[in-house]
Amino acid sequence: AALPRPAPASSAAAAPRAAAPHTVARPDAAAEPVAETRAAAPTRKHRLNTACTFVIAPGASGANFCYELTECLRRLGHATEVERWHGAYSKDIKRNADRLERFAKEAAAASGEGCRVLLVGDGYGGRVVAHLLARWAAGEPPPANVFADAALLVGYQLYGAAPPRNSGDDRLALLQALPASTRLLFVSGEKDEFLDRTKGGTAWRD
């Protein structure tokens, strides 16, 4: 005779189901999802063909006001800022250029062999950088391991709020005096009124 089949287990005696993924089973409440904790994505480090230290010439407000620019450049290499200017007017550019040159020389000496220094001008600092590049192009020897024919200019103010009173106050002429071989990278916002000479504070120039 055929053996009798075992009776099916009752629902009360059924084995408990495993908890769903990312849930915690509690006897007195329905299972709730458990929040996943993921590690923050690491900061991406880009690579340049040449190891580089960026010396930032800050705007008229001085250092610590271009921290976002500094953080971006630190993804490419080392970045440091000139702490303060003698002043933030056209008459101060020459003395500020002297300070920037000393700072670039010190940065080059501290960066080690095979590392180059690139000047970065932020706002007013771009005018100081352009002045220093023009001096080097005129024959004044630049510090060793410093790019004398290249720079990054962020928010360069082509036009001021009033017409230039002299050649030293003409921001566009400062760039035009550089050799054609000078490599300049400009980064500016599309609504920067200092680039538009037809409206806003720079409407004096037609």
Side-chain angles (χ1 to χ4, degrees), residues 155-171:
Y156 188 88
Q157 302 167 354
L158 284 177
Y159 309 108
R165 290 169 293 183
N166 50 59
S167 59
D169 200 34
D170 194 328
R171 305 171 184 187

Side-chain angles (χ1 to χ4, degrees), residues 72 78 124-125 198:
C72 288
H78 180 66
Y124 171 82
T198 62

Side-chain angles (χ1 to χ4, degrees), residues 137-164:
E140 185 178 318
N145 295 326
V146 177
F147 285 104
D149 61 347
L152 170 62
L153 302 180
V154 180
Y156 188 88
Q157 302 167 354
L158 284 177
Y159 309 108

Side-chain angles (χ1 to χ4, degrees), residues 6-86:
S10 64
S11 58
R17 295 181 180 181
H22 308 301
T23 62
V24 175
R26 294 187 299 183
D28 58 342
E32 296 180 357
V34 176
E36 280 189 280
T37 303
R38 297 183 180 181
T43 301
R44 184 177 180 183
K45 191 78 173 181
H46 300 272
R47 291 185 178 181
L48 299 177
N49 293 333
T50 302
C52 193
T53 292
F54 301 95
V55 172
I56 302 174
S61 299
N64 300 323
F65 280 87
C66 45
Y67 53 89
E68 292 180 347
L69 172 62
T70 304
E71 290 303 313
C72 288
L73 293 176
R74 282 175 177 166
R75 297 187 180 189
L76 299 173
H78 180 66
T80 183
E81 294 181 65
V82 178
E83 292 183 0
R84 59 184 179 274
W85 295 129
H86 292 287

Side-chain angles (χ1 to χ4, degrees), residues 155-161 171 191-197 201-202:
Y156 188 88
Q157 302 167 354
L158 284 177
Y159 309 108
R171 305 171 184 187
K191 295 183 179 181
D192 190 343
E193 65 175 4
F194 293 102
L195 300 180
D196 189 345
R197 59 187 180 184
T202 58

